[in-house]
Amino acid sequence: MALACHIGSTDVDRWQATVPGRDARTIRVDLGRSAGWYDVSVILSASPRYLRRFAGHHEDGRAATSDPGPGA
């Protein structure tokens, strides 16, 4: 299964991978540029209507800023 992952809205943070059926893929993302916030979209090339989106903040116990995404 071919999939594409978009992290945020920049072309810099886009990648594509092929994952065989029933296999798994783990990615590590540097959240330093976004102050711990993430917005990840996963799409499947074989199924144009498939979209899964995960957004939030990685909690690490430190003081955080508000989400930099709205209005950006």
Side-chain angles (χ1 to χ4, degrees):
M1 163 178 17
L3 61 89
C5 179
H6 304 226
I7 303 168
S9 60
T10 66
D11 286 333
V12 173
D13 294 326
R14 293 175 185 242
W15 60 268
Q16 294 185 7
T18 299
V19 181
R22 301 200 183 272
D23 277 4
R25 172 73 53 101
T26 299
I27 62 166
R28 298 200 186 277
V29 179
D30 179 6
L31 299 176
R33 293 182 302 169
S34 64
W37 291 94
Y38 59 90
D39 184 351
V40 177
S41 298
V42 178
I43 59 174
L44 300 178
S45 59
S47 182
R49 295 182 56 172
Y50 181 92
L51 168 68
R52 295 297 181 266
R53 192 162 182 196
F54 308 91
H57 185 263
H58 170 70
E59 297 299 330
D60 58 8
R62 294 185 278 186
T65 61
S66 60
D67 185 351

